[in-house]
Coordinates of all heavy atoms in Angstrom, one line a residue:
A11 N -197.1 114.3 76.3 CA -198.4 114.6 76.7 C -198.5 114.4 78.3 O -199.0 115.3 79.0 CB -199.5 113.8 76.1
I44 N -192.9 124.6 73.7 CA -194.1 124.1 74.4 C -195.3 124.2 73.5 O -196.2 123.3 73.6 CB -194.3 124.9 75.7 CG1 -193.1 124.8 76.6 CG2 -195.5 124.4 76.4 CD1 -192.8 123.4 77.1
P152 N -207.8 126.8 63.5 CA -207.1 127.7 64.4 C -207.0 127.1 65.8 O -208.0 126.5 66.3 CB -208.0 129.0 64.5 CG -208.9 128.8 63.3 CD -209.1 127.4 63.0
R164 N -196.9 124.2 87.1 CA -198.3 124.0 87.6 C -199.2 125.1 87.4 O -200.3 125.2 88.0 CB -198.3 123.5 89.0 CG -197.6 122.2 89.3 CD -198.1 121.1 88.4 NE -199.5 120.7 88.6 CZ -200.2 120.0 87.8 NH1 -199.7 119.6 86.6 NH2 -201.5 119.7 88.1
W213 N -200.1 144.8 78.0 CA -200.1 144.0 79.1 C -200.9 144.6 80.3 O -201.4 143.9 81.1 CB -198.7 143.7 79.6 CG -198.0 142.7 78.7 CD1 -196.8 142.8 78.0 CD2 -198.4 141.3 78.5 NE1 -196.5 141.7 77.3 CE2 -197.5 140.7 77.6 CE3 -199.5 140.5 78.9 CZ2 -197.6 139.4 77.2 CZ3 -199.6 139.2 78.5 CH2 -198.6 138.7 77.6
D215 N -203.7 145.7 80.3 CA -205.1 145.3 80.2 C -205.4 143.9 80.8 O -206.5 143.6 81.1 CB -205.5 145.2 78.7 CG -205.6 146.6 78.0 OD1 -205.7 147.6 78.8 OD2 -205.5 146.6 76.8
L234 N -215.6 131.2 86.7 CA -214.8 131.9 85.7 C -214.8 131.1 84.4 O -214.8 129.9 84.4 CB -213.4 132.0 86.2 CG -213.2 132.8 87.5 CD1 -211.7 132.9 87.8 CD2 -213.8 134.2 87.4
H263 N -210.1 151.8 89.1 CA -210.9 151.2 90.2 C -210.7 149.7 90.2 O -210.5 149.1 91.3 CB -212.4 151.5 90.0 CG -212.7 152.9 90.2 ND1 -212.2 153.7 91.2 CD2 -213.6 153.7 89.5 CE1 -212.7 154.9 91.1 NE2 -213.6 154.9 90.1
V284 N -217.4 135.0 102.5 CA -217.4 133.7 103.3 C -217.7 134.0 104.8 O -217.2 135.0 105.4 CB -216.0 133.1 103.2 CG1 -215.9 131.9 104.1 CG2 -215.7 132.6 101.8
G305 N -200.5 112.4 105.5 CA -199.8 112.8 104.2 C -198.4 113.4 104.4 O -197.5 113.3 103.6
G363 N -181.2 94.3 95.6 CA -181.6 93.2 94.7 C -182.7 93.7 93.8 O -183.2 94.8 93.8
P375 N -192.4 107.1 90.5 CA -193.4 108.0 89.8 C -194.6 108.3 90.7 O -195.1 109.4 90.7 CB -193.8 107.2 88.5 CG -192.6 106.3 88.3 CD -192.2 105.9 89.6
R410 N -216.4 146.3 103.9 CA -216.1 147.5 103.0 C -215.6 147.0 101.7 O -216.0 147.5 100.6 CB -215.0 148.4 103.7 CG -214.8 149.6 102.9 CD -214.0 150.7 103.7 NE -212.7 150.2 104.0 CZ -212.3 150.0 105.3 NH1 -213.1 150.2 106.3 NH2 -211.0 149.6 105.5
R417 N -220.3 146.9 94.2 CA -220.5 148.1 93.4 C -219.8 148.0 92.0 O -220.3 148.3 91.0 CB -220.0 149.3 94.1 CG -220.1 150.7 93.4 CD -219.5 151.8 94.1 NE -218.1 151.7 94.3 CZ -217.2 151.9 93.3 NH1 -217.6 152.3 92.1 NH2 -215.9 151.8 93.6
V441 N -205.8 144.0 57.3 CA -205.2 143.4 56.1 C -203.8 143.0 56.5 O -203.0 143.8 57.1 CB -205.1 144.4 55.0 CG1 -204.3 143.9 53.8 CG2 -206.5 144.8 54.5

Side-chain angles (χ1 to χ4, degrees):
I44 300 296
R164 297 305 295 163
W213 283 120
D215 292 337
L234 302 182
H263 290 322
V284 173
R410 187 165 63 245
R417 179 184 63 78
V441 174

